[in-house]
Amino acid sequence: MIARILKWLMLLQVLAVLGLAYLARQAWGVDSPAMALLLGAAMLLAVRALIVARNFWQSRRLGSPVPPEHQLGAIGAARLFLGELRATLWTSSWGMLRPRLAESGAAVPGRGLPVLLVHGYVCNRGYWTKLSRMLARAGIAHDGIDLEPIGADIEEFVPQVEQAVARLCARAGSDRVILVAHSMGGLVARAWLRHYGAARVARIITIGTPHHGTALAKLAAGANARQMRRIDDAPSGWLAQLAASETPAARALITSIYSHHDNIVAPQASAQLPGARNLAFGGIGHVALASDARVLRLVLEEITIKSEVARPAFAPPFV
């Protein structure tokens, strides 16, 4: 569904560029058709950049203090903004329009535990293109899920995750799975863990997940957005109930990776989950988290370590 919506949005953007180019020729006296098209595209890019800039401004205004070691200068701030803009443009204009994952081939004994990729709010499996290629090169069986309908209650996604886990375990011949989840997907993974237990969970790795809600969710639509809100600077009732239901053993299964400069999760400390393994970065935006080389190396390391620990003594070495 997301891919279809994004294709329509891309068509509207193309028509907007053509309309602006026509206006530039007719009303602004631009003689060159190529220059008129370039001007139209630049104006559209400026609108997209303003949206990203607004998110950064709001997330900083409502955000957590940035530790001294992650403070950014002017150049670092520019790289942060441009990296997030590039990631946003790529995922919405290409990656999620073609929601495909790399083929890892048949599961190979000793190549590690299978990995299920769970996307975030208003996304699809196409968000995971770069990580999927890394997993495929490592020979790790993996799959993604498309959570639908878009604005559903997070609890409605739980059976979908259960079905995906069952399919992936059967395909890989494994009794356990690692979940890697971005943003809202981390909450979906925790809700699934609450419903179905930890018997088939080796690890849950959340990336940029608003575990205690985000103030920016008030700008989004849908039941799941309401569940991710912070109300009077406190997590929503659903988030509070989810947290209250978790045991220390369940929290110990989770690794939370986040950025002190997340432009969607605000306050950024909302991504810290007590009892979990919390790993912080700086200078990375929300969408860019799952395409940043540093984050992806860490995710693959977490997957590899867990697979090494889980591998039977007689299995061949992980490569």
Side-chain angles (χ1 to χ4, degrees):
M1 179 183 291
I2 290 296
R4 189 160 57 247
I5 293 172
L6 288 175
K7 286 174 183 176
W8 279 108
L9 288 175
M10 279 296 298
L11 177 60
L12 289 175
Q13 291 178 79
V14 170
L15 292 175
V17 169
L18 293 175
L20 289 168
Y22 178 81
L23 185 63
R25 297 286 311 277
Q26 299 299 316
W28 302 337
V30 177
D31 294 329
S32 168
M35 186 60 66
L37 284 171
L38 185 61
L39 181 60
M43 293 178 70
L44 177 63
L45 179 60
V47 172
R48 297 289 298 269
L50 282 173
I51 294 172
V52 174
R54 182 205 62 181
N55 289 339
F56 271 115
W57 175 77
Q58 289 183 316
S59 67
R60 192 66 270 144
R61 182 173 61 88
L62 301 166
S64 312
V66 178
E69 64 270 23
H70 291 295
Q71 295 281 350
L72 299 178
I75 294 176
R79 286 175 177 167
L80 166 67
F81 175 78
L82 292 174
E84 180 68 0
L85 177 61
R86 181 175 63 248
T88 301
L89 291 171
W90 190 91
T91 54
S92 64
S93 303
W94 182 252
M96 292 193 299
L97 267 67
R98 304 168 65 256
R100 304 170 186 170
L101 298 179
E103 293 291 334
S104 54
V108 179
R111 286 293 175 93
L113 297 167
V115 175
L116 180 66
L117 305 173
V118 186
H119 65 75
Y121 180 73
V122 193
C123 290
N124 60 24
R125 70 182 66 198
Y127 176 75
W128 296 108
T129 301
K130 196 165 183 179
L131 178 57
S132 176
R133 288 199 295 263
M134 292 179 66
L135 294 173
R137 286 196 296 269
I140 297 173
H142 64 282
D143 200 0
I145 183 172
D146 294 329
L147 302 172
E148 295 183 348
I150 298 170
D153 188 298
I154 288 176
E155 299 290 347
E156 294 184 36
F157 298 140
V158 170
Q160 300 175 37
V161 173
E162 170 64 13
Q163 293 170 9
V165 167
R167 286 194 301 268
L168 181 57
C169 285
R171 192 186 91 197
S174 175
D175 60 352
R176 288 197 295 166
V177 67
I178 295 172
L179 275 67
V180 178
H182 177 251
S183 194
M184 181 193 74
L187 301 177
V188 176
R190 287 173 59 198
W192 170 78
L193 180 63
R194 173 173 64 173
H195 279 273
Y196 290 97
R200 286 175 298 165
V201 183
R203 197 78 186 157
I204 293 176
I205 303 170
T206 69
I207 304 172
T209 291
H211 290 297
H212 307 287
T214 172
L216 271 67
K218 66 183 179 182
L219 303 175
N224 46 23
R226 290 191 293 274
Q227 289 169 308
M228 290 188 288
R229 289 177 184 172
R230 289 183 65 81
I231 303 168
D232 296 328
D233 203 30
S236 69
W238 183 85
L239 285 169
Q241 291 173 3
L242 177 64
S245 71
E246 292 175 324
T247 65
R251 287 286 179 88
L253 290 169
I254 301 172
T255 295
S256 178
I257 299 172
Y258 66 98
S259 171
H260 286 293
H261 296 98
D262 195 304
N263 54 310
I264 298 297
V265 177
Q268 290 75 21
S270 177
Q272 296 176 2
L273 190 61
R277 174 172 157 83
N278 293 286
L279 303 170
F281 285 88
I284 310 172
H286 186 74
V287 177
L289 275 166
S291 58
D292 184 271
R294 294 168 294 169
V295 174
L296 293 181
R297 282 195 298 269
L298 181 57
V299 169
L300 192 59
E301 180 181 308
E302 289 283 301
I303 292 169
T304 304
I305 290 172
K306 197 62 193 178
S307 296
E308 288 281 359
V309 171
R311 194 182 69 238
F314 57 84
F318 182 82
V319 294

